[in-house]
């Protein structure tokens, strides 16, 4: 009964070739997050949506964009992937942005850049 | 800026051994603290959380964590680990009074329990 679903599980792209990762949720949560996790490092927040309100982290490169066409879906677009963008990308949701809210994570998409 | 440190990157224990994973944070204000776990091949999931009240928090699967404000710590403990506890454990912080809307994670501790 997956509640936060990420596709694909593994994605291989070429240097500079745009790629889109997808996330869907069945929880009807207001907030959706994208985290980047490189090997042996902490998950790092890229941006989040509260409903349709987009919130970018200050240090997220312009190369990363996101779309949320409806409550259920959120996409991560990498316009020109570089070798340094190879990482696990985690989607998460929460009902609200209260500080004690539990996050629900997807299984992640492992991105490789050749 | 807030940060979370997990100094043990990889811990190997035998079954029935006691576990303590360290988590220290850097932030001077009010905090909410979490431990998330990621079992092999699965997604991150919440193990336990602290945001007020009793500083000793009990979570799922026999885990507990103690918030010690004076030490800026939130260590995770389990008296007797099982092979099924093999996973990666992440400590995370949310500062309650900065308006920052997302968790700050530590880099994780990989726990390997040998049968």
């Amino acid at each position: 009964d997956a509640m936060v679903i990420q596709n694909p599980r593994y994605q291989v792209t070429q240097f500079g070739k745009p790629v889109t990762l997808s996330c869907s949720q069945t929880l009807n949560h207001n907030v959706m997050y994208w985290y980047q996790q490189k090997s042996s490092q902490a998950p790092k927040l890229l941006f989040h949506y509260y409903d349709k309100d987009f919130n970018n982290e200050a240090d997220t490169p312009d190369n990363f964009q996101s779309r949320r066409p409806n409550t259920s879906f959120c996409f991560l677009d990498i316009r020109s992937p570089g070798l340094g963008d190879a990482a696990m990308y985690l989607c998460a949701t929460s009902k609200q942005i209260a500080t004690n809210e539990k996050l629900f994570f997807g299984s992640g998409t492992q991105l490789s850049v050749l | 800026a807030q940060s979370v440190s997990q100094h043990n990157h990889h811990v190997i224990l035998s079954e029935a051994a006691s576990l303590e994973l360290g988590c220290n944070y850097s932030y001077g204000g009010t905090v909410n603290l979490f431990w998330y776990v990621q079992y092999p091949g699965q997604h991150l999931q919440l193990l336990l959380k602290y945001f007020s009240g009793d500083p000793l928090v009990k979570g799922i699967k026999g885990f507990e964590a103690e918030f010690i404000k004076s030490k800026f710590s939130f260590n995770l403990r389990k008296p007797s680990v099982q092979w099924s506890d093999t996973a990666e454990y992440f400590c995370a912080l949310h500062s309650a009074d900065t308006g920052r809307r997302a968790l700050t994670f530590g880099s994780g501790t990989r726990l390997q329990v040998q049968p």
Side-chain angles (χ1 to χ4, degrees):
Chain A
D1 294 347
M3 295 177 287
V4 182
I5 303 162
Q6 290 187 246
N7 285 305
R9 183 72 177 87
Y10 299 93
Q11 175 73 57
V12 180
T13 190
Q14 293 178 335
F15 183 94
K17 184 175 181 180
V19 66
T20 295
L21 310 182
S22 73
C23 176
S24 64
Q25 55 134 337
T26 60
L27 298 163
N28 203 34
H29 280 173
N30 290 313
V31 193
M32 295 187 77
Y33 308 82
W34 280 104
Y35 282 85
Q36 178 194 62
Q37 186 182 17
K38 296 186 177 180
S39 181
S40 301
Q41 296 185 23
K44 178 182 176 299
L45 182 68
L46 296 173
F47 27 58
H48 74 275
Y49 273 94
Y50 181 85
D51 195 14
K52 295 181 181 179
D53 180 25
F54 176 71
N55 296 271
N56 202 29
E57 292 297 294
D59 56 355
T60 298
D62 293 339
N63 198 25
F64 291 85
Q65 303 287 322
S66 186
R67 296 170 283 136
R68 189 178 185 187
N70 53 53
T71 300
S72 300
F73 285 87
C74 193
F75 300 98
L76 170 61
D77 300 309
I78 308 176
R79 292 193 295 188
S80 180
L83 298 179
D85 296 328
M88 175 70 82
Y89 290 87
L90 301 172
C91 175
T93 73
S94 64
K95 190 178 295 186
Q96 296 294 340
I97 308 184
T99 57
N100 56 6
E101 279 285 318
K102 172 182 174 180
L103 265 62
F104 292 79
F105 283 87
S107 298
T109 293
Q110 182 69 50
L111 177 68
S112 299
V113 181
L114 303 180
Chain B
Q2 60 202 38
S3 65
V4 178
S5 298
Q6 293 180 247
H7 300 295
N8 306 108
H9 297 295
H10 191 191
V11 173
I12 302 174
L13 294 174
S14 298
E15 275 193 311
S18 65
L19 169 72
E20 182 160 3
L21 300 182
C23 172
N24 288 91
Y25 67 91
S26 171
Y27 182 71
T30 304
V31 294
N32 298 313
L33 294 158
F34 305 78
W35 276 97
Y36 279 81
V37 60
Q38 187 170 25
Y39 297 102
Q42 296 187 27
H43 57 271
L44 276 161
Q45 55 188 290
L46 184 67
L47 199 55
L48 48 78
K49 64 180 181 179
Y50 167 82
F51 45 94
S52 65
D54 188 345
L56 184 62
V57 179
K58 295 192 183 300
I60 60 173
K61 304 188 180 185
F63 286 90
E64 64 179 31
E66 185 174 13
F67 171 53
I68 303 179
K69 190 174 181 180
S70 61
K71 295 185 177 180
F72 297 90
S73 70
F74 189 57
N75 291 355
L76 181 69
R77 300 194 295 247
K78 186 171 183 179
S80 176
V81 295
Q82 300 172 309
W83 178 79
S84 58
D85 293 324
T86 295
E88 189 148 19
Y89 293 81
F90 292 89
C91 185
L93 170 152
H94 202 307
S95 53
D97 48 18
T98 64
R100 179 177 166 77
R101 294 182 171 187
L103 294 176
T104 298
F105 283 89
S107 56
T109 297
R110 187 175 299 277
L111 172 66
Q112 185 178 343
V113 180
Q114 297 176 331

mmCIF file of all heavy atoms in Angstrom, chain A residues 58-91:
data_model
loop_
_atom_site.group_PDB
_atom_site.id
_atom_site.type_symbol
_atom_site.label_atom_id
_atom_site.label_comp_id
_atom_site.label_asym_id
_atom_site.label_seq_id
_atom_site.Cartn_x
_atom_site.Cartn_y
_atom_site.Cartn_z
ATOM 1 N N ALA A 58 17.446 28.383 -0.739
ATOM 2 C CA ALA A 58 18.329 29.426 -1.266
ATOM 3 C C ALA A 58 19.502 28.857 -2.053
ATOM 4 O O ALA A 58 19.981 29.479 -3.009
ATOM 5 C CB ALA A 58 18.837 30.287 -0.111
ATOM 6 N N ASP A 59 19.968 27.675 -1.662
ATOM 7 C CA ASP A 59 21.156 27.123 -2.314
ATOM 8 C C ASP A 59 20.832 26.060 -3.351
ATOM 9 O O ASP A 59 21.729 25.341 -3.799
ATOM 10 C CB ASP A 59 22.127 26.569 -1.254
ATOM 11 C CG ASP A 59 21.471 25.538 -0.361
ATOM 12 O OD1 ASP A 59 20.246 25.318 -0.487
ATOM 13 O OD2 ASP A 59 22.179 24.946 0.474
ATOM 14 N N THR A 60 19.583 25.947 -3.747
ATOM 15 C CA THR A 60 19.222 24.994 -4.801
ATOM 16 C C THR A 60 19.606 25.580 -6.153
ATOM 17 O O THR A 60 19.181 26.696 -6.491
ATOM 18 C CB THR A 60 17.723 24.686 -4.767
ATOM 19 O OG1 THR A 60 17.397 24.084 -3.518
ATOM 20 C CG2 THR A 60 17.328 23.755 -5.900
ATOM 21 N N PRO A 61 20.414 24.851 -6.930
ATOM 22 C CA PRO A 61 20.842 25.399 -8.228
ATOM 23 C C PRO A 61 19.656 25.629 -9.169
ATOM 24 O O PRO A 61 18.654 24.916 -9.122
ATOM 25 C CB PRO A 61 21.767 24.302 -8.784
ATOM 26 C CG PRO A 61 22.181 23.495 -7.602
ATOM 27 C CD PRO A 61 21.039 23.546 -6.645
ATOM 28 N N ASP A 62 19.815 26.615 -10.058
ATOM 29 C CA ASP A 62 18.764 26.931 -11.030
ATOM 30 C C ASP A 62 18.487 25.769 -11.980
ATOM 31 O O ASP A 62 17.445 25.724 -12.632
ATOM 32 C CB ASP A 62 19.166 28.161 -11.852
ATOM 33 C CG ASP A 62 19.207 29.407 -11.005
ATOM 34 O OD1 ASP A 62 18.563 29.411 -9.936
ATOM 35 O OD2 ASP A 62 19.874 30.378 -11.406
ATOM 36 N N ASN A 63 19.430 24.878 -12.076
ATOM 37 C CA ASN A 63 19.304 23.695 -12.921
ATOM 38 C C ASN A 63 18.149 22.789 -12.486
ATOM 39 O O ASN A 63 17.663 21.969 -13.251
ATOM 40 C CB ASN A 63 20.637 22.932 -12.819
ATOM 41 C CG ASN A 63 20.829 21.950 -13.925
ATOM 42 O OD1 ASN A 63 20.277 22.091 -14.999
ATOM 43 N ND2 ASN A 63 21.621 20.919 -13.638
ATOM 44 N N PHE A 64 17.711 22.952 -11.254
ATOM 45 C CA PHE A 64 16.637 22.135 -10.702
ATOM 46 C C PHE A 64 15.345 22.953 -10.685
ATOM 47 O O PHE A 64 15.299 24.064 -10.175
ATOM 48 C CB PHE A 64 16.967 21.693 -9.274
ATOM 49 C CG PHE A 64 18.090 20.706 -9.181
ATOM 50 C CD1 PHE A 64 19.404 21.129 -9.147
ATOM 51 C CD2 PHE A 64 17.830 19.348 -9.138
ATOM 52 C CE1 PHE A 64 20.454 20.217 -9.067
ATOM 53 C CE2 PHE A 64 18.866 18.433 -9.053
ATOM 54 C CZ PHE A 64 20.177 18.871 -9.017
ATOM 55 N N GLN A 65 14.303 22.356 -11.253
ATOM 56 C CA GLN A 65 12.985 22.982 -11.272
ATOM 57 C C GLN A 65 11.972 21.960 -10.792
ATOM 58 O O GLN A 65 12.238 20.756 -10.765
ATOM 59 C CB GLN A 65 12.630 23.436 -12.692
ATOM 60 C CG GLN A 65 13.646 24.391 -13.313
ATOM 61 C CD GLN A 65 13.575 25.773 -12.715
ATOM 62 O OE1 GLN A 65 12.514 26.277 -12.411
ATOM 63 N NE2 GLN A 65 14.740 26.401 -12.517
ATOM 64 N N SER A 66 10.796 22.452 -10.464
ATOM 65 C CA SER A 66 9.750 21.542 -10.028
ATOM 66 C C SER A 66 8.394 22.016 -10.521
ATOM 67 O O SER A 66 8.199 23.207 -10.781
ATOM 68 C CB SER A 66 9.754 21.443 -8.502
ATOM 69 O OG SER A 66 8.839 20.464 -8.060
ATOM 70 N N ARG A 67 7.501 21.061 -10.671
ATOM 71 C CA ARG A 67 6.124 21.348 -11.076
ATOM 72 C C ARG A 67 5.184 20.528 -10.213
ATOM 73 O O ARG A 67 5.484 19.378 -9.897
ATOM 74 C CB ARG A 67 5.901 20.942 -12.549
ATOM 75 C CG ARG A 67 6.710 21.707 -13.563
ATOM 76 C CD ARG A 67 6.578 21.046 -14.938
ATOM 77 N NE ARG A 67 7.375 19.846 -15.059
ATOM 78 C CZ ARG A 67 6.943 18.710 -15.610
ATOM 79 N NH1 ARG A 67 5.697 18.611 -16.053
ATOM 80 N NH2 ARG A 67 7.746 17.657 -15.725
ATOM 81 N N ARG A 68 4.073 21.128 -9.890
ATOM 82 C CA ARG A 68 3.032 20.392 -9.169
ATOM 83 C C ARG A 68 1.709 20.709 -9.842
ATOM 84 O O ARG A 68 0.999 21.640 -9.459
ATOM 85 C CB ARG A 68 3.002 20.769 -7.688
ATOM 86 C CG ARG A 68 2.078 19.842 -6.889
ATOM 87 C CD ARG A 68 2.072 20.173 -5.420
ATOM 88 N NE ARG A 68 1.276 19.198 -4.666
ATOM 89 C CZ ARG A 68 0.986 19.306 -3.374
ATOM 90 N NH1 ARG A 68 1.441 20.353 -2.682
ATOM 91 N NH2 ARG A 68 0.272 18.376 -2.768
ATOM 92 N N PRO A 69 1.322 19.905 -10.838
ATOM 93 C CA PRO A 69 0.112 20.209 -11.595
ATOM 94 C C PRO A 69 -1.172 19.997 -10.813
ATOM 95 O O PRO A 69 -2.195 20.601 -11.138
ATOM 96 C CB PRO A 69 0.191 19.231 -12.778
ATOM 97 C CG PRO A 69 1.079 18.128 -12.301
ATOM 98 C CD PRO A 69 2.046 18.741 -11.351
ATOM 99 N N ASN A 70 -1.120 19.143 -9.811
ATOM 100 C CA ASN A 70 -2.294 18.910 -8.956
ATOM 101 C C ASN A 70 -1.812 18.397 -7.601
ATOM 102 O O ASN A 70 -0.608 18.232 -7.388
ATOM 103 C CB ASN A 70 -3.266 17.925 -9.613
ATOM 104 C CG ASN A 70 -2.597 16.628 -10.028
ATOM 105 O OD1 ASN A 70 -1.951 15.981 -9.208
ATOM 106 N ND2 ASN A 70 -2.751 16.257 -11.288
ATOM 107 N N THR A 71 -2.758 18.137 -6.702
ATOM 108 C CA THR A 71 -2.388 17.732 -5.346
ATOM 109 C C THR A 71 -1.576 16.454 -5.327
ATOM 110 O O THR A 71 -0.683 16.274 -4.501
ATOM 111 C CB THR A 71 -3.660 17.533 -4.505
ATOM 112 O OG1 THR A 71 -4.379 18.753 -4.466
ATOM 113 C CG2 THR A 71 -3.330 17.125 -3.075
ATOM 114 N N SER A 72 -1.874 15.560 -6.239
ATOM 115 C CA SER A 72 -1.301 14.216 -6.170
ATOM 116 C C SER A 72 0.089 14.098 -6.760
ATOM 117 O O SER A 72 0.842 13.201 -6.393
ATOM 118 C CB SER A 72 -2.225 13.224 -6.879
ATOM 119 O OG SER A 72 -3.499 13.218 -6.273
ATOM 120 N N PHE A 73 0.418 14.941 -7.708
ATOM 121 C CA PHE A 73 1.659 14.754 -8.452
ATOM 122 C C PHE A 73 2.628 15.914 -8.266
ATOM 123 O O PHE A 73 2.227 17.071 -8.202
ATOM 124 C CB PHE A 73 1.369 14.605 -9.955
ATOM 125 C CG PHE A 73 0.801 13.274 -10.326
ATOM 126 C CD1 PHE A 73 -0.572 13.061 -10.259
ATOM 127 C CD2 PHE A 73 1.629 12.238 -10.715
ATOM 128 C CE1 PHE A 73 -1.100 11.818 -10.593
ATOM 129 C CE2 PHE A 73 1.106 10.998 -11.046
ATOM 130 C CZ PHE A 73 -0.262 10.794 -10.988
ATOM 131 N N CYS A 74 3.908 15.542 -8.262
ATOM 132 C CA CYS A 74 4.956 16.560 -8.227
ATOM 133 C C CYS A 74 6.123 16.035 -9.047
ATOM 134 O O CYS A 74 6.466 14.839 -8.955
ATOM 135 C CB CYS A 74 5.391 16.840 -6.790
ATOM 136 S SG CYS A 74 6.389 18.331 -6.595
ATOM 137 N N PHE A 75 6.726 16.916 -9.846
ATOM 138 C CA PHE A 75 7.816 16.514 -10.709
ATOM 139 C C PHE A 75 9.082 17.299 -10.394
ATOM 140 O O PHE A 75 9.010 18.476 -10.024
ATOM 141 C CB PHE A 75 7.434 16.748 -12.186
ATOM 142 C CG PHE A 75 6.224 15.980 -12.624
ATOM 143 C CD1 PHE A 75 4.976 16.588 -12.670
ATOM 144 C CD2 PHE A 75 6.335 14.648 -12.980
ATOM 145 C CE1 PHE A 75 3.857 15.872 -13.067
ATOM 146 C CE2 PHE A 75 5.224 13.924 -13.379
ATOM 147 C CZ PHE A 75 3.982 14.527 -13.421
ATOM 148 N N LEU A 76 10.192 16.629 -10.554
ATOM 149 C CA LEU A 76 11.502 17.276 -10.437
ATOM 150 C C LEU A 76 12.138 17.254 -11.817
ATOM 151 O O LEU A 76 12.325 16.180 -12.394
ATOM 152 C CB LEU A 76 12.373 16.527 -9.432
ATOM 153 C CG LEU A 76 13.846 16.912 -9.361
ATOM 154 C CD1 LEU A 76 14.010 18.371 -8.954
ATOM 155 C CD2 LEU A 76 14.591 16.015 -8.368
ATOM 156 N N ASP A 77 12.431 18.435 -12.352
ATOM 157 C CA ASP A 77 13.077 18.554 -13.648
ATOM 158 C C ASP A 77 14.517 19.004 -13.444
ATOM 159 O O ASP A 77 14.766 20.014 -12.787
ATOM 160 C CB ASP A 77 12.349 19.596 -14.514
ATOM 161 C CG ASP A 77 10.905 19.233 -14.767
ATOM 162 O OD1 ASP A 77 10.642 18.096 -15.185
ATOM 163 O OD2 ASP A 77 10.029 20.093 -14.531
ATOM 164 N N ILE A 78 15.424 18.269 -14.060
ATOM 165 C CA ILE A 78 16.825 18.682 -14.055
ATOM 166 C C ILE A 78 17.159 19.062 -15.491
ATOM 167 O O ILE A 78 17.170 18.196 -16.376
ATOM 168 C CB ILE A 78 17.760 17.585 -13.533
ATOM 169 C CG1 ILE A 78 17.259 17.061 -12.177
ATOM 170 C CG2 ILE A 78 19.181 18.144 -13.375
ATOM 171 C CD1 ILE A 78 18.069 15.910 -11.616
ATOM 172 N N ARG A 79 17.390 20.316 -15.720
ATOM 173 C CA ARG A 79 17.448 20.828 -17.089
ATOM 174 C C ARG A 79 18.698 20.374 -17.826
ATOM 175 O O ARG A 79 18.648 20.036 -19.008
ATOM 176 C CB ARG A 79 17.387 22.351 -17.071
ATOM 177 C CG ARG A 79 16.031 22.875 -16.604
ATOM 178 C CD ARG A 79 15.861 24.332 -16.864
ATOM 179 N NE ARG A 79 16.790 25.143 -16.089
ATOM 180 C CZ ARG A 79 16.733 26.461 -16.032
ATOM 181 N NH1 ARG A 79 15.822 27.121 -16.693
ATOM 182 N NH2 ARG A 79 17.602 27.127 -15.324
ATOM 183 N N SER A 80 19.809 20.367 -17.152
ATOM 184 C CA SER A 80 21.074 19.969 -17.789
ATOM 185 C C SER A 80 21.908 19.234 -16.748
ATOM 186 O O SER A 80 22.773 19.839 -16.083
ATOM 187 C CB SER A 80 21.806 21.209 -18.315
ATOM 188 O OG SER A 80 23.031 20.838 -18.935
ATOM 189 N N PRO A 81 21.635 17.946 -16.591
ATOM 190 C CA PRO A 81 22.305 17.215 -15.503
ATOM 191 C C PRO A 81 23.817 17.174 -15.680
ATOM 192 O O PRO A 81 24.330 16.938 -16.791
ATOM 193 C CB PRO A 81 21.705 15.812 -15.609
ATOM 194 C CG PRO A 81 20.469 15.968 -16.411
ATOM 195 C CD PRO A 81 20.688 17.119 -17.321
ATOM 196 N N GLY A 82 24.501 17.410 -14.581
ATOM 197 C CA GLY A 82 25.945 17.237 -14.557
ATOM 198 C C GLY A 82 26.303 16.011 -13.749
ATOM 199 O O GLY A 82 25.447 15.402 -13.094
ATOM 200 N N LEU A 83 27.570 15.636 -13.810
ATOM 201 C CA LEU A 83 28.009 14.444 -13.084
ATOM 202 C C LEU A 83 27.749 14.582 -11.593
ATOM 203 O O LEU A 83 27.462 13.602 -10.896
ATOM 204 C CB LEU A 83 29.494 14.189 -13.347
ATOM 205 C CG LEU A 83 29.875 13.912 -14.796
ATOM 206 C CD1 LEU A 83 31.383 13.707 -14.917
ATOM 207 C CD2 LEU A 83 29.122 12.711 -15.349
ATOM 208 N N GLY A 84 27.822 15.799 -11.099
ATOM 209 C CA GLY A 84 27.592 16.051 -9.674
ATOM 210 C C GLY A 84 26.154 15.938 -9.240
ATOM 211 O O GLY A 84 25.864 15.997 -8.045
ATOM 212 N N ASP A 85 25.258 15.773 -10.194
ATOM 213 C CA ASP A 85 23.838 15.635 -9.854
ATOM 214 C C ASP A 85 23.432 14.181 -9.651
ATOM 215 O O ASP A 85 22.271 13.898 -9.321
ATOM 216 C CB ASP A 85 22.968 16.259 -10.953
ATOM 217 C CG ASP A 85 23.204 17.761 -11.077
ATOM 218 O OD1 ASP A 85 23.497 18.397 -10.040
ATOM 219 O OD2 ASP A 85 23.114 18.289 -12.198
ATOM 220 N N ALA A 86 24.349 13.282 -9.865
ATOM 221 C CA ALA A 86 24.066 11.872 -9.594
ATOM 222 C C ALA A 86 23.819 11.699 -8.102
ATOM 223 O O ALA A 86 24.655 12.064 -7.270
ATOM 224 C CB ALA A 86 25.237 11.007 -10.032
ATOM 225 N N ALA A 87 22.660 11.172 -7.771
ATOM 226 C CA ALA A 87 22.258 11.092 -6.364
ATOM 227 C C ALA A 87 20.953 10.320 -6.271
ATOM 228 O O ALA A 87 20.334 9.985 -7.273
ATOM 229 C CB ALA A 87 22.052 12.488 -5.767
ATOM 230 N N MET A 88 20.530 10.084 -5.044
ATOM 231 C CA MET A 88 19.198 9.576 -4.773
ATOM 232 C C MET A 88 18.301 10.790 -4.567
ATOM 233 O O MET A 88 18.662 11.712 -3.818
ATOM 234 C CB MET A 88 19.195 8.697 -3.526
ATOM 235 C CG MET A 88 17.825 8.216 -3.103
ATOM 236 S SD MET A 88 17.119 6.996 -4.226
ATOM 237 C CE MET A 88 17.955 5.522 -3.599
ATOM 238 N N TYR A 89 17.156 10.810 -5.231
ATOM 239 C CA TYR A 89 16.204 11.899 -5.069
ATOM 240 C C TYR A 89 14.972 11.357 -4.351
ATOM 241 O O TYR A 89 14.336 10.410 -4.812
ATOM 242 C CB TYR A 89 15.860 12.521 -6.423
ATOM 243 C CG TYR A 89 17.042 13.287 -6.967
ATOM 244 C CD1 TYR A 89 18.007 12.632 -7.733
ATOM 245 C CD2 TYR A 89 17.230 14.630 -6.659
ATOM 246 C CE1 TYR A 89 19.127 13.313 -8.193
ATOM 247 C CE2 TYR A 89 18.344 15.315 -7.112
ATOM 248 C CZ TYR A 89 19.294 14.655 -7.875
ATOM 249 O OH TYR A 89 20.409 15.326 -8.301
ATOM 250 N N LEU A 90 14.692 11.978 -3.232
ATOM 251 C CA LEU A 90 13.617 11.530 -2.356
ATOM 252 C C LEU A 90 12.455 12.516 -2.403
ATOM 253 O O LEU A 90 12.655 13.718 -2.252
ATOM 254 C CB LEU A 90 14.109 11.413 -0.916
ATOM 255 C CG LEU A 90 15.264 10.461 -0.665
ATOM 256 C CD1 LEU A 90 15.774 10.602 0.756
ATOM 257 C CD2 LEU A 90 14.837 9.022 -0.914
ATOM 258 N N CYS A 91 11.272 11.990 -2.574
ATOM 259 C CA CYS A 91 10.062 12.780 -2.479
ATOM 260 C C CYS A 91 9.420 12.474 -1.132
ATOM 261 O O CYS A 91 9.435 11.323 -0.674
ATOM 262 C CB CYS A 91 9.125 12.413 -3.622
ATOM 263 S SG CYS A 91 7.512 13.212 -3.575
#
